[in-house]
Amino acid sequence: MKNKKYSKLIILGSGPAGYTAAIYAARSNLNPFLITGINKGGQLMNTNEIENWPGDFNKITGPELMNRMYLHALNFNIKIITDNIIKVDFKNKPFVLNGEKYTYIADAIIIATGASPRYLGLESEELFKGKGVSTCAVCDGFFYKGKEIAVVGGGNTAIEETLYLSNFVKKVHLIHRKSNFSAEKILVSRLMNKIQEKKVILHLNYTVKKIFGNVLGVNSILIEKIKLKEKKEKTLAVSGLFVAIGHVPNTNIFIDQLKIKNGYIQVSRETHGNYTQTSIPGIFAAGDVIDHVYRQAITSSSSGCMAALDSERYLNSIKL
Ligand code: FAD
Ligand code: NAP
C-alpha cells in the first residue's frame, strides 16, 4: 500500500501551464501540490533559445526559463513532488490519483500534462530509437558533431532543430512531406540562409520510408518522393535522424474518465468563466493538453492561470 497524500488542489505537470497554475493557486491560499511527471520542466527543456517569451529579449534557453518558473513556484512554498501519475479515479469524490510513489487525494485537480513528441511509426524507427533516432536536438545533437544528419518535419520544431544542428554538424538534410513550411517566417528565412551556405539540403515532398544501421547506430535512410506518379527513392548516408513531426497530447490515463476529442481533453470554453472545466466539475485542464491550435509557452501559461482561477471558484462553491 502506498502512502496517501491529501491536498485541496493538485496540479499535474511542471511545464508552463502547471507552474503558472500553481503560482496563481498559491496566491489564493489553496496550498496546492504540483506533481512534476517524468519530464520536469516540460517540453521547453528540449529547446535552446526562446525568443518569444515577453520581457526576455536577451535570448533565454528553455531550461533557464523553466528553472525560473520552478524557483518562482518554490518562492510561494508550493509543494513540488517528483512523481508520475499512472492511474486516476475521477468517478467518485474526492478524486484519487495513483502515482508511482504515492496515492493522492484531492478535491480539485488541474491537468497540465502537455504533449510528447510524435514518431513516424516505422518499424525501423523503433529499432534505432536512442541509437541514431532522436526527437531532441538539444539533448542528442552533440553526438553528431562533424557528421551528416537528417531532420524530418516542416513546423517550428523541425526548422529550429535544423538551424541549431547546422551550427556544428557537417550537413543537415531536411525532409518535409510538403513543398511549403508551417513554421514562422523568421525561422524559414534563417533556414534559406543556411541553404545558401550549403549547410542544409532540402528534400521537399519526401517522406522517410526506412532507417538502416547496425549495432553502432544509424548509417542511412531511404526517402521517397510523394505526389509523383512514378516512385522516386533516394538513400541518404546519415548517422542520425531527428524526428520533429509534432506532438501528441498526454491523455492516455484520462481516456475512460474524461471527454476527449482527437486525443485532447475537452474543456467547456465557456466565455463567461469556467473556461477550463473538463467534463467533470472539479477537474480542470490547461496548456497543450487542451490545445491543438496555438501550443505555445505563453498560451499554456495563460490557460494555466485560468484553470487556477476556475478551480478557486469551484473550491469556494463546494465549501469544504
Ligand atoms: P508541457 O511543457 O508539455 O509539460 C507537460 C508536463 O506534464 C511535464 O512536466 C510532464 O512531466 C508532465 N506530465 C505528463 N504526464 C504526466 C503524468 N502522467 N503525471 C504527472 N505529470 C505528467 N513555445 C514557445 O512559446 N516558444 C518557443 O520558443 C517554443 N519552443 C519549443 C521548442 C520545442 C523543441 C518544442 C517541442 C516546443 C516549443 N514550444 C515553444 C512549445 C511549448 O514548449 C509548449 O507549448 C509548452 O511547453 C506547453 O506547456 P504545457 O505546460 O502545456 O506542457
Ligand atoms: P507542428 O507545428 O504540428 O508541425 C508538425 C510538422 O510535421 C508539420 O510540418 C507536419 O506536416 C509534419 N508531419 C506531421 N506528421 C508527419 C508524418 N507522419 N510524417 C512526416 N511529417 C509529418 O509541430 P511542431 O513543429 O513540433 O510544433 C508544435 C507546437 O510548438 C507549435 O504550436 C509550434 O508553434 C510550437 N513551437 C514553437 C516554437 C517557437 O515559438 N519558436 C518552436 C517550436 C515549437 P504537415 O504540415 O504536412 O502536417
Side-chain angles (χ1 to χ4, degrees), residues 117-118 134-135 151-159 161 242-247:
R118 175 181 287 126
S134 167
T135 54
V151 173
V152 54
N156 276 342
T157 303
I159 310 304
E161 301 221 326
F242 289 85
V243 179
I245 58 167
H247 290 79

Side-chain angles (χ1 to χ4, degrees), residues 89-274:
D89 181 1
F90 296 158
K91 303 235 155 93
N92 302 296
K93 287 180 182 172
F95 305 118
V96 180
L97 302 165
N98 286 298
E100 285 169 11
K101 290 187 189 157
Y102 303 106
T103 297
Y104 304 88
I105 316 284
D107 300 305
I109 287 168
I110 296 175
I111 299 169
T113 49
S116 299
R118 175 181 287 126
Y119 282 92
L120 293 161
L122 302 171
E123 234 174 79
S124 51
E125 181 183 46
E126 280 302 318
L127 283 178
F128 293 107
K129 267 185 192 170
K131 287 178 261 164
V133 172
S134 167
T135 54
C136 178
V138 173
C139 325
D140 301 329
F142 176 78
F143 300 113
Y144 301 92
K145 203 171 169 193
K147 296 184 178 168
E148 218 159 299
I149 55 108
V151 173
V152 54
N156 276 342
T157 303
I159 310 304
E160 276 196 349
E161 301 221 326
T162 300
L163 294 170
Y164 170 75
L165 290 162
S166 69
N167 291 326
F168 52 88
V169 301
K170 190 172 166 199
K171 206 167 272 178
V172 184
H173 294 268
L174 176 60
I175 302 148
H176 179 35
R177 66 183 181 184
K178 282 190 179 145
S179 53
N180 57 317
F181 296 105
S182 57
E184 285 167 278
K185 297 205 169 38
I186 189 169
L187 295 176
V188 177
S189 78
R190 285 176 196 162
L191 177 72
M192 293 307 150
N193 292 339
K194 290 285 187 177
I195 292 166
Q196 280 198 335
E197 289 167 23
K198 304 209 179 334
K199 287 295 289 183
V200 175
I201 301 174
L202 269 189
H203 303 274
L204 294 176
N205 298 315
Y206 273 92
T207 55
V208 178
K209 216 176 154 194
K210 198 162 178 186
I211 302 158
F212 299 94
N214 53 34
V215 280
L216 298 174
V218 169
N219 54 32
S220 64
I221 59 172
L222 180 69
I223 62 171
E224 183 182 26
K225 186 125 186 162
I226 48 176
K227 297 176 187 163
L228 266 190
K229 279 191 189 144
E230 300 155 40
K231 261 196 189 169
K232 189 178 166 195
E233 294 182 340
K234 288 198 265 192
T235 299
L236 305 176
V238 293
S239 39
L241 174 66
F242 289 85
V243 179
I245 58 167
H247 290 79
V248 281
N250 295 322
T251 50
N252 275 350
I253 55 171
F254 310 115
I255 279 170
D256 58 346
Q257 305 276 326
L258 298 172
K259 272 195 192 148
I260 290 180
K261 195 174 171 193
N262 298 328
Y264 292 84
I265 295 177
Q266 283 203 283
V267 289
S268 83
R269 301 189 189 278
E270 186 47 67
T271 48
H272 300 288
N274 219 25

